């Protein structure tokens, strides 16, 4: 059973398109995260939800909008995709401030 | 504010040699400290963590790390490297009480030579 799953695994799209990435965790955790990992492997926090409430909202373009329909799901919608959005996006979950469990990542390529 | 510094973006060791990956942190409150490993094309997975108590913590795959408050360090070691240890390693810090923001270091790529 996959603890944190993301779909899709790969996403190739044109500039200007709108796309969504979905994340689900079956660990019963109360906190979920979205990270962006660039080509140099630097991991940057984007958003975090605790019990469906947004608690971390880093300096991210407002083209990025997270949505948490329930504690087990955190989706990421991106409008008007740009070349610089190409990266690997990771979803993670944790029980409060304990260790985080990461999904397998979604490799986004914007052409 | 918290921060994490990993010394050395790349470390290369021979198979069977000691692995030492350095991590220094800054935190105004007692920290929780973590080491994660990322294999190619995978997500991060926890190697070990320090929260409270014993300062020498053991993790998976023979890794261990020691929390040294006086040196604000949490270096990762393994006595004998295996080829399968080749991966990216991330040190991370979070506040011990309250707060949910974890700060990750820039990562250290470990190469293991045959």
């Amino acid at each position: 059973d996959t603890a944190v799953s993301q779909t899709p695994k790969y996403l190739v799209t044109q500039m200007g398109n709108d796309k969504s990435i979905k994340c689900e965790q079956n660990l019963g955790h109360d906190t979920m995260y979205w990270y962006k990992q660039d080509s140099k492997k630097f991991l940057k926090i984007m958003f975090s939800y605790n019990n469906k409430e947004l608690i971390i909202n880093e300096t991210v373009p407002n083209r990025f909008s997270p949505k948490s329909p329930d504690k087990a799901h955190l989706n990421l919608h991106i409008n008007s995709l740009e070349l610089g959005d190409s990266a690997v996006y990771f979803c993670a979950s944790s029980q409060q401030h304990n260790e985080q469990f990461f999904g397998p990542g979604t490799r986004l390529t914007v052409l | 504010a918290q921060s994490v510094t990993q010394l050395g973006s790349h470390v290369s060791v021979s198979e069977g040699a000691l692995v030492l990956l350095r991590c220094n942190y800054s935190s105004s409150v007692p920290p929780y400290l973590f080491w994660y490993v990322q294999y190619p094309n995978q997500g991060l997975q926890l190697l070990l963590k320090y929260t409270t108590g014993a300062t020498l913590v053991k993790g998976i795959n023979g890794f261990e790390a020691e929390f040294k408050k006086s040196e604000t360090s949490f270096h990762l070691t393994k006595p004998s490297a295996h080829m399968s240890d080749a991966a990216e390693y991330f040190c991370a810090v979070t506040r011990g009480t309250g707060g949910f923001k974890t700060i990750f270091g820039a990562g250290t790529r470990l190469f293991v030579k045959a």
Side-chain angles (χ1 to χ4, degrees):
Chain A
D1 286 342
T2 304
V4 182
S5 59
Q6 295 178 228
T7 54
K9 188 166 175 63
Y10 299 97
L11 189 51
V12 181
T13 188
Q14 299 287 332
M15 267 181 16
N17 284 351
D18 303 338
K19 291 293 179 186
S20 291
I21 308 172
K22 296 187 176 182
C23 178
E24 176 180 1
Q25 55 97 0
N26 62 7
L27 298 167
H29 290 162
D30 59 6
T31 306
M32 295 185 72
Y33 312 79
W34 276 112
Y35 289 90
K36 179 181 181 181
Q37 187 175 49
D38 62 24
S39 57
K40 295 183 178 180
K41 301 295 184 183
F42 184 72
L43 205 61
K44 178 185 174 184
I45 180 74
M46 301 173 70
F47 304 102
S48 178
Y49 274 74
N50 176 254
N51 287 317
K52 300 196 306 176
E53 179 185 348
L54 182 64
I55 55 170
I56 295 175
N57 186 358
E58 292 294 284
T59 309
V60 175
N62 57 15
R63 299 181 294 103
F64 290 79
S65 53
K67 281 190 172 52
S68 182
D70 54 58
K71 277 175 49 173
H73 296 84
L74 179 61
N75 303 322
L76 182 66
H77 188 75
I78 315 170
N79 289 325
S80 304
L81 278 156
E82 300 178 357
L83 293 177
D85 298 332
S86 296
V88 181
Y89 292 84
F90 286 101
C91 176
S93 73
S94 70
Q95 188 61 27
Q96 297 191 351
H97 50 261
N98 287 317
E99 67 265 28
Q100 295 181 26
F101 291 75
F102 284 77
T106 296
R107 183 175 294 276
L108 171 64
T109 303
V110 182
L111 304 175
Chain B
Q2 296 173 297
S3 67
V4 176
T5 301
Q6 290 185 240
L7 297 176
S9 59
H10 296 84
V11 170
S12 182
V13 301
S14 298
E15 196 173 18
L18 171 72
V19 176
L20 171 61
L21 304 183
R22 300 177 187 273
C23 173
N24 288 89
Y25 71 92
S26 69
S27 178
S28 57
V29 296
Y32 282 16
L33 294 159
F34 307 85
W35 275 101
Y36 290 85
V37 61
Q38 184 180 27
Y39 298 104
N41 299 314
Q42 294 186 26
L44 282 70
Q45 55 183 280
L46 183 72
L47 269 180
L48 48 79
K49 67 177 180 180
Y50 168 80
T51 53
T52 58
T55 56
L56 181 63
V57 292
K58 295 186 184 299
I60 61 172
N61 301 337
F63 284 93
E64 62 182 37
E66 186 171 10
F67 170 61
K68 292 187 176 181
K69 184 178 178 181
S70 61
E71 298 177 9
T72 61
S73 68
F74 191 58
H75 301 332
L76 181 71
T77 60
K78 181 174 180 178
S80 176
H82 294 165
M83 297 296 288
S84 60
D85 294 327
E88 191 87 22
Y89 291 81
F90 294 90
C91 182
V93 62
T94 191
R95 287 168 56 179
T97 53
F100 302 97
K101 186 173 179 179
T102 299
I103 305 298
F104 284 84
T108 297
R109 181 69 185 271
L110 176 65
F111 295 91
V112 182
K113 300 174 291 187

